Amino acid sequence: MRTALLQSSGRPGSVAENLKVLDAAAGRAAAAGAGLLVTPEMFLTGYAIGDGIGRLAEPVDGDFADAVADLAGRHGLAVAYGYPERDGDAVFNSAQLVSADGTRLANYRKTHLFGRFERDHFTPGGQPVVQAELGGLTVGLMICYDVEFPENVRAHALAGTDLLCVPTAQMHPYQFVAESVVPVRAFENQMYVAYVNRVGREGEFEFVGLSVLAGPDGVARTRAGRDEDLVVADADPGFLARSRESNPYLLDRRPGLYGSLG
């Protein structure tokens, strides 16, 4: 499945402007033959917007979801996007996947919150593996810091995830995660990982870009630089199947030895 990665911080604080950016990117991605477009973490509102997070947070089926479903349908491609989700008094750092016909397929709440900023503004999610079927692949959702916990990604591997979409707000000086950790996660878990970052300075944070689609061989299929960009590459189920046949990591596990890690 051809997958497009939108590396952009959009217009922090303006959902209307971010929807315009997303609409334009969806048009470019569809023209390039993509079946899926993935955005960064908290793309629809901005990340470092302080109390604006709570003010702009919406339910999973709110106006944000309707707007993204509409543009997905118009452009004929699925979209995985980051946004703040409100559920009663709780606000979650969430990512939602909608299909090319606008159907909501999956919604994930970030389980591992990074730093005081996130702990001050969000409630952690409690479901580590969220998946949907899309274009012949099992697509999983995760957000930024979550991918740095090997147990999290391994849980997806054991549940059959083929393509893990990771909307991200990766900041300086942690660029080694994009450069090194993500390709290793893809290799050790035999999956594709689409890691899609914000870029530039926003509030107190400097986002490093370097969005990447890594394959199960640990090789980047495409990688963005440090500027706003839209990059496209294929998640090939045939290559994935062959890679899983030749790489024994998942078959050679000995779970009985790992109980003490819990």
Side-chain angles (χ1 to χ4, degrees):
M1 180 168 59
R2 186 152 293 177
T3 302
L5 317 182
L6 173 58
Q7 178 168 287
S8 173
S9 287
R11 307 295 179 266
S14 176
V15 175
E17 290 300 314
N18 291 329
L19 285 169
K20 291 179 183 178
V21 173
L22 182 58
D23 197 4
R28 292 164 55 201
L36 171 65
L37 172 65
V38 186
T39 83
E41 182 176 359
M42 291 284 289
F43 179 75
L44 287 190
T45 60
Y47 180 89
I49 58 173
D51 292 341
I53 291 172
R55 176 172 52 83
L56 295 174
E58 283 201 350
V60 66
D61 58 353
D63 291 342
F64 296 170
D66 289 343
V68 176
D70 176 72
L71 71 86
R74 283 190 286 104
H75 293 291
L77 83 171
V79 180
Y81 66 97
Y83 75 106
E85 177 195 349
R86 179 171 294 283
D87 185 356
D89 292 333
V91 175
F92 299 92
N93 184 337
S94 294
Q96 183 157 207
L97 174 66
V98 299
S99 71
D101 66 5
T103 302
R104 291 190 296 275
L105 297 178
N107 188 73
Y108 171 77
R109 295 167 172 177
K110 188 173 186 178
T111 54
H112 295 77
L113 301 181
F114 179 76
R116 181 174 178 178
F117 177 83
E118 291 194 2
R119 291 192 291 270
D120 284 348
H121 289 93
F122 299 108
T123 297
Q127 185 175 353
V129 177
V130 173
Q131 300 167 312
E133 299 302 312
L134 183 71
L137 295 173
T138 300
V139 176
L141 296 173
M142 192 173 282
I143 299 175
C144 197
Y145 193 39
D146 291 328
V147 82
E148 298 176 40
F149 292 82
E151 304 91 338
N152 250 25
V153 187
R154 182 52 54 85
H156 268 273
L158 296 177
T161 293
D162 300 314
L163 169 61
L164 183 62
C165 296
V166 189
T168 295
Q170 182 64 67
M171 57 199 68
H172 178 80
Y174 305 110
Q175 48 265 35
F176 67 89
V177 174
E179 294 170 337
S180 301
V181 174
V182 169
V184 169
R185 289 286 180 270
F187 178 72
E188 68 190 5
N189 290 289
Q190 287 299 288
M191 63 175 62
Y192 287 92
V193 180
Y195 185 81
V196 188
N197 200 10
R198 306 179 70 83
V199 65
R201 185 166 292 279
E202 187 178 334
E204 64 186 284
F205 306 113
E206 180 185 352
F207 299 113
V208 299
L210 303 175
S211 299
V212 61
L213 178 65
D217 53 359
V219 175
R221 297 300 188 270
T222 188
R223 186 185 289 280
R226 297 298 187 98
D227 299 318
E228 298 212 351
D229 204 352
L230 180 76
V231 295
V232 180
D234 291 329
D236 180 354
F239 181 85
L240 179 60
R242 293 190 296 274
S243 180
R244 286 172 171 172
E245 286 178 0
S246 63
N247 186 313
Y249 276 163
L250 298 180
L251 292 176
D252 288 349
R253 293 173 65 253
R254 296 182 61 193
L257 299 179
Y258 314 145
S260 62
L261 299 180

